[in-house]
Amino acid sequence: MPLLQINSNVAKEKFTKEYILNFGNVLTKAMNKPIDFCVIHVLADQLMSFGGTFEPLAILTLSSIGHLGVEENKTYSNVIMTELEKLGISPTRVFINFNELQPSEVGFNKTTIADSK
Ligand SMILES: O=C(O)c1cc2cc(O)c(O)cc2[nH]1
């Protein structure tokens, strides 16, 4: 659990392995899910503008089987944007799309998560 995709115009060098691993630990703790199936995919150095400027920004998708919701997503938004602030990305220049998935909608190990639990 879960899949966090980060698209950003910030330099790839800023997304160190240590930073990414810590991000996963902080996020999975907040989501109360094990880190076992957690994937963090960073697409850095992207050519992106926001509001007519090229100041640091990030657009994210958080996909998860369960554990998302109206109140929960506010907490995850806080946690995620706090981590991104460490790289100089203002919370006013971040959007997160929350994507709730069914176990049958995620393929894994030649079947789906629905069958592998
Ligand atoms: O919630 C999970 O455990 C979960 C969903 C999901 C979707 C995905 O595309 C992945 O690569 C990992 C993953 N984990």
Side-chain angles (χ1 to χ4, degrees), residues 1-5 31 33-34 36-40 63-67 99 101-102 105-107 113 117:
M1 93 106 244
L3 169 64
L4 183 68
Q5 293 170 299
M31 296 184 77
K33 286 191 81 172
D36 305 42
F37 291 109
C38 179
V39 176
I40 298 190
S63 301
S64 176
I65 298 168
H67 293 241
N99 182 27
L101 296 167
Q102 298 300 314
E105 293 173 327
V106 182
I113 297 285
K117 282 196 167 173

Side-chain angles (χ1 to χ4, degrees), residues 97-110:
N97 298 311
F98 295 98
N99 182 27
E100 174 110 30
L101 296 167
Q102 298 300 314
S104 62
E105 293 173 327
V106 182
F108 175 68
N109 196 19
K110 295 189 174 178

Side-chain angles (χ1 to χ4, degrees), residues 63-101:
S63 301
S64 176
I65 298 168
H67 293 241
L68 299 179
V70 173
E71 292 307 316
E72 292 92 333
N73 294 354
K74 292 178 191 175
T75 300
Y76 308 152
S77 182
N78 188 346
V79 166
I80 289 168
M81 294 191 194
T82 297
E83 292 306 309
L84 293 172
E85 267 185 319
K86 295 176 183 174
L87 302 185
I89 304 172
S90 165
T92 62
R93 294 182 62 78
V94 177
F95 282 115
I96 305 168
N97 298 311
F98 295 98
N99 182 27
E100 174 110 30
L101 296 167

Side-chain angles (χ1 to χ4, degrees), residues 6-12 42-49 54:
I6 305 173
N7 298 280
S8 178
N9 60 356
V10 166
K12 186 179 168 185
V42 179
L43 278 171
D45 273 324
Q46 300 297 295
L47 185 58
M48 302 171 79
S49 73
F54 291 95

